[in-house]
Amino acid sequence: MEREQWGSRVGFILAAVGSAVGLGNIWRFPYVVYENGGGAFLIPYFFALLTAGIPILVLEFGIGHKFKGSAPLSFRRILGKSEWLGWWQVLISFVIITYYVVIIAWAMSYTWFSTNLQWGEDTKGFLFTEYLNLSDGAWSSGGIQWNIFILVIAVWALIYFVLYKGVKSGIEKASKLLMPVLVIIMILFTIRGVTLPGAVEGLNVLLTPNFDKILDAKAWIAAYGQIFFSLSIAFAIMITYSSYLPKKAEINNSAFITGLSNSGFEFLAALGVFGVIGFMATSSGTDVNEVAAAGVGLAFVVFPQIINQLPALNEVVGVMFFFSLVIAGLTSAISIVEVIVSAVMDKFSMSRKQAVTAVSIIGFLGSVFYTTGGGLYYLDIVDHFINSFGVVLAGLVEVLIVGWLYRLASIREHNNLTSDFAIGSWWDIMIKVITPIVLGTMTVLNIKTELGAPYEGYPLDFLAIFGWGTAAAVIVLGILLSLVPGFKNEGRKF
């Protein structure tokens, strides 16, 4: 079966950037900068980008392009017994997409709520009580919330439609449409944010360097964590996307463009977010530190409060912000599902239409779990554990296997043949030494934190099942899937 290809280099880069630019760029990154030294955080951030982020992008672009397969097939071709690693990453993507589409559904709802500020004055009560109908505790599901359930169907339908059309006619066309729209909306949002009364207060807090903070190892770990999560590495996404590149495609420069574009968008979003946070702090007579937040709290509680207090264009700003979340979420969601589709097609010799249909149905059924009254509890725990003990660990194993059990220089040499510029042996050091040390340190610190106290005070049995259980299940299932016969159309040997 001939592998699909991108129609253009621009299409590939836009798709890769679209995957990297997700919800975390908008609602997580600004808070990470603020919490870890403000302007001084740029030092560990760009150090992490250049020593881990871009080198791993170069690695994964090279793996996909050289071995021409989904993650399981590519790792099988690298080292026969490492196919399980590819399935581990595929299953991590599967777990993430089941709750990711639910957050996109929330953003869709809030885009509509913005048109007449339907959340009222008590934005926290509106989110948790009226909209999510949050249950009394972690073990109480609370039943399906049909207002969310219906929109989850809509999100899966959009993803299905794009992937059903294929790489060139589906993913590439969607990326060429959605990414420019997202950038335009974020530019307009940022212009509005930084021109609000009091915006300077927020920007000062965000950008004023606190060099004492970056002397703390936590700031450096935060920098590597942000780079790692925001660039979609170790999710098998970049391996899958680069496997659709033509034989003579440019690799190295595309990786740099993708990494730097993602960083540029993150900083653009940070300026807009802290501009409006500064406005809220000034108008309410509080400190910026009391307003700053991250994640669900920032997006669906703090931002509606800010939008309520804007002097003008309240509804317009609301629609722009939440619609940007929808687009950023969709571009990432499309890439995450494509990872699973590609792996299923390769392993079981399915057609694209068969694989997209099967994956979408199973994925939707998994998403239903998060549309219940207890959905936010499940989402919070699964997201925390699958990132801390799924993505980070899978990334560590990836660089160890490819860096030490395979001739890493052959991937560098492969990339240099068709790239705008060549990369040297410094790249080998980054992959074999620097990144494993950082990811290993992150893993040890994560385990130490988890063992110190139950995450967010959740019951231990709940954490054991939905947290540790999920993180362990994707590894076990990955190994089992690698033992299933398949890859009949594997083709040439490597």
Side-chain angles (χ1 to χ4, degrees):
M1 187 186 297
E2 189 175 342
R3 197 159 190 84
E4 296 177 83
Q5 289 189 356
W6 299 104
S8 64
R9 181 183 175 187
V10 171
F12 164 66
I13 291 175
L14 283 175
V17 173
S19 172
V21 172
L23 298 170
N25 296 65
I26 301 171
W27 76 19
R28 184 178 186 271
F29 177 72
Y31 187 78
V32 172
V33 176
Y34 150 74
E35 198 175 40
N36 291 282
F41 183 70
L42 292 177
I43 296 172
Y45 177 85
F46 280 109
F47 187 83
L49 177 66
L50 295 174
T51 60
I54 290 177
I56 295 178
L57 276 178
V58 170
L59 174 68
E60 295 199 338
F61 280 7
I63 289 173
H65 185 251
K66 179 178 173 65
F67 297 102
K68 289 295 177 190
S70 57
L73 180 53
S74 292
F75 284 117
R76 178 186 174 95
R77 286 171 168 168
I78 287 173
L79 189 69
K81 293 181 179 179
S82 65
E83 180 190 331
W84 66 274
L85 171 59
W87 283 112
W88 182 13
Q89 293 186 352
V90 168
L91 289 167
I92 287 171
S93 289
F94 176 79
V95 170
I96 289 173
I97 196 60
T98 56
Y99 64 78
Y100 203 80
V101 296
V102 178
I103 302 173
I104 299 171
W106 297 351
M108 283 181 168
S109 294
Y110 270 71
T111 303
W112 168 248
F113 295 156
S114 298
T115 57
N116 56 2
L117 311 184
Q118 294 176 41
W119 46 67
E121 294 298 318
D122 181 11
T123 58
K124 185 175 182 180
F126 178 83
L127 172 66
F128 295 119
T129 304
E130 293 186 42
Y131 181 64
L132 296 179
N133 192 20
L134 193 62
S135 63
D136 296 333
W139 284 113
S140 175
S141 68
I144 292 175
Q145 306 306 303
W146 297 105
N147 54 328
I148 300 171
F149 180 88
I150 292 170
L151 284 177
V152 167
I153 293 176
V155 177
W156 271 110
L158 286 170
I159 296 169
Y160 176 85
F161 175 76
V162 171
L163 296 184
Y164 192 86
K165 300 284 285 184
V167 173
K168 184 177 178 180
S169 300
I171 301 172
E172 184 169 343
K173 281 188 176 180
S175 300
K176 286 182 175 180
L177 170 65
L178 294 175
M179 286 310 297
V181 171
L182 176 59
V183 171
I184 291 170
I185 290 175
M186 190 49 63
I187 289 173
L188 293 174
F189 171 77
T190 301
I191 290 172
R192 180 57 181 156
V194 300
T195 55
L196 286 168
V200 174
E201 296 301 318
L203 296 177
N204 283 340
V205 169
L206 174 68
L207 299 175
T208 301
N210 181 352
F211 291 102
D212 290 337
K213 287 264 190 177
I214 65 166
L215 297 177
D216 189 339
K218 289 181 180 178
W220 291 82
I221 295 298
Y224 276 91
Q226 178 62 30
I227 288 296
F228 206 76
F229 298 133
S230 70
L231 284 178
S232 297
I233 46 185
F235 287 65
I237 293 172
M238 296 308 179
I239 292 175
T240 303
Y241 269 14
S242 57
S243 73
Y244 300 132
L245 285 168
K247 187 176 181 180
K248 295 184 178 181
E250 203 288 331
I251 303 295
N252 296 339
N253 198 23
S254 296
F256 274 82
I257 291 171
T258 301
L260 293 172
S261 297
N262 175 70
S263 295
F265 185 90
E266 286 191 319
F267 280 100
L268 179 67
L271 293 175
V273 167
F274 266 81
V276 295
I277 284 176
F279 158 76
M280 181 177 177
T282 302
S283 62
S284 60
T286 57
D287 193 86
V288 171
N289 300 324
E290 296 177 30
V291 181
V296 173
L298 172 67
F300 299 105
V301 176
V302 175
F303 254 90
Q305 290 174 357
I306 294 171
I307 292 164
N308 284 345
Q309 297 180 31
L310 293 177
L313 301 176
N314 309 59
E315 297 177 0
V316 174
V317 173
V319 169
M320 282 197 299
F321 176 73
F322 287 109
F323 192 54
S324 71
L325 290 183
V326 172
I327 297 177
L330 278 174
T331 54
S332 293
I334 288 166
S335 68
I336 296 170
V337 180
E338 177 61 19
V339 163
I340 311 162
V341 168
S342 180
V344 169
M345 288 169 62
D346 282 350
K347 179 78 170 183
F348 302 107
S349 301
M350 284 188 180
S351 68
R352 168 166 288 275
K353 293 178 181 179
Q354 290 173 326
V356 171
T357 301
V359 170
S360 297
I361 291 172
I362 297 170
F364 165 72
L365 293 175
S367 297
V368 172
F369 189 60
Y370 302 98
T371 66
T372 62
L376 183 59
Y377 301 128
Y378 312 135
L379 188 156
D380 184 29
I381 291 173
V382 172
D383 176 64
H384 174 72
F385 278 83
I386 203 66
N387 280 292
S388 298
F389 303 103
V391 177
V392 173
L393 265 178
L396 175 59
V397 174
E398 177 182 315
V399 293
L400 289 175
I401 286 178
V402 182
W404 292 97
L405 300 181
Y406 181 77
R407 197 174 79 84
L408 182 64
S410 68
I411 295 177
R412 170 165 52 84
E413 292 160 2
H414 171 86
N415 290 359
N416 289 343
L417 286 175
T418 58
S419 294
D420 294 339
F421 57 83
I423 53 174
S425 56
W426 64 269
W427 177 79
D428 300 49
I429 297 171
M430 296 300 107
I431 297 297
K432 296 177 73 170
V433 181
I434 303 299
T435 301
I437 290 173
V438 173
L439 295 183
T441 303
M442 287 176 66
T443 300
V444 171
L445 290 176
N446 286 338
I447 293 173
K448 184 179 178 181
T449 301
E450 295 304 326
L451 296 178
Y455 173 66
E456 295 293 328
Y458 286 110
L460 290 176
D461 53 352
F462 196 76
L463 291 174
I465 294 173
F466 293 100
W468 295 108
T470 301
V474 291
I475 300 176
V476 174
L477 287 174
I479 294 171
L480 293 176
L481 278 169
S482 71
L483 300 176
V484 175
F487 295 125
K488 293 180 181 179
N489 300 316
E490 184 175 347
R492 62 193 177 104
K493 300 297 179 183
F494 292 78

